[in-house]
Amino acid sequence: MADNTTEDDLRHLRRCVELATEALESGDEPFGSVLVAADGTVLAEDHNRVAGGDHTRHPEFALARWAAGRLTPAERAAATVYTSGEHCPMCAAAHGWVGLGRIVYASSSEQLAGWLAELGVPAPPVRALPIREVVPGAVVAGPYPVLAEEVRTLHRRFHGAA
Ligand SMILES: [Zn+2]
């Protein structure tokens, strides 16, 4: 559980879980993310879109590229990325290169790795690392146990276990 968590943070995280559910229901892996401006405006949201075969189509990567094309460096630094699951190294790197601000995640990469191992899912080709291993200056918060449990249920459903 993280410090300085607000009701707004939890509301945005719940939206991420909804987006992850939408991904699952459209046959994709359950991950969802929201990009929020300093004033609380939701700028963009997305969910995982890897079912077509392009495994770089993670929502955090899409939001980083969205921000790079539309926001000033100051706006990016002041924005927050909310996500149902902690960034993978690719998305953490994109976040760092684009200069986005705080990251708030519902469930951690470590939790996900544990859940997938439990389900007997083969390890992915890219190692899971904490965001700060990739972006040392990142400001991160998470995981949040109640929401993480919901995310766990989505992953179990995706792998046919719930
Ligand atoms: Zn990713």
Side-chain angles (χ1 to χ4, degrees), residues 90-150:
M90 172 184 76
C91 295
H95 186 99
W97 282 122
V98 166
L100 284 164
R102 183 168 168 251
I103 294 174
V104 185
Y105 56 82
S107 60
S108 69
S109 298
E110 189 183 2
Q111 287 176 313
L112 176 64
W115 300 333
L116 296 182
E118 234 172 65
L119 293 167
V121 177
V126 175
R127 184 191 293 176
L129 294 171
I131 291 165
R132 284 206 192 97
E133 292 280 310
V134 182
V135 185
V139 176
V140 301
Y144 295 86
V146 173
L147 290 163
E149 197 50 40
E150 289 178 31

Side-chain angles (χ1 to χ4, degrees), residues 58 60-61 87-92:
H58 298 181
E60 304 94 329
F61 194 46
H87 291 40
C88 75
M90 172 184 76
C91 295

Side-chain angles (χ1 to χ4, degrees), residues 19-20 31-34 44-49 57-59 62-63:
L19 289 161
F31 295 94
S33 310
V34 177
E45 52 180 40
D46 203 2
H47 62 63
N48 219 42
R49 299 180 187 279
R57 295 195 64 189
H58 298 181
L63 293 182

Side-chain angles (χ1 to χ4, degrees), residues 2-111:
D3 302 324
N4 306 322
T5 303
T6 66
E7 263 312 305
D8 283 340
D9 289 336
L10 295 175
R11 182 167 52 85
H12 293 307
L13 282 176
R14 282 194 288 270
R15 178 60 185 151
C16 293
V17 176
E18 274 177 23
L19 289 161
T21 307
E22 282 175 27
L24 178 70
E25 285 167 358
S26 61
D28 222 313
E29 292 178 34
F31 295 94
S33 310
V34 177
L35 176 67
V36 178
D39 68 358
T41 307
V42 175
L43 297 170
E45 52 180 40
D46 203 2
H47 62 63
N48 219 42
R49 299 180 187 279
V50 305
D54 178 352
H55 287 270
T56 68
R57 295 195 64 189
H58 298 181
E60 304 94 329
F61 194 46
L63 293 182
R65 302 199 71 200
W66 186 96
R70 290 172 182 80
L71 303 180
T72 66
E75 287 169 335
R76 286 180 233 152
T80 300
V81 175
Y82 295 88
T83 189
S84 63
E86 183 178 2
H87 291 40
C88 75
M90 172 184 76
C91 295
H95 186 99
W97 282 122
V98 166
L100 284 164
R102 183 168 168 251
I103 294 174
V104 185
Y105 56 82
S107 60
S108 69
S109 298
E110 189 183 2
Q111 287 176 313

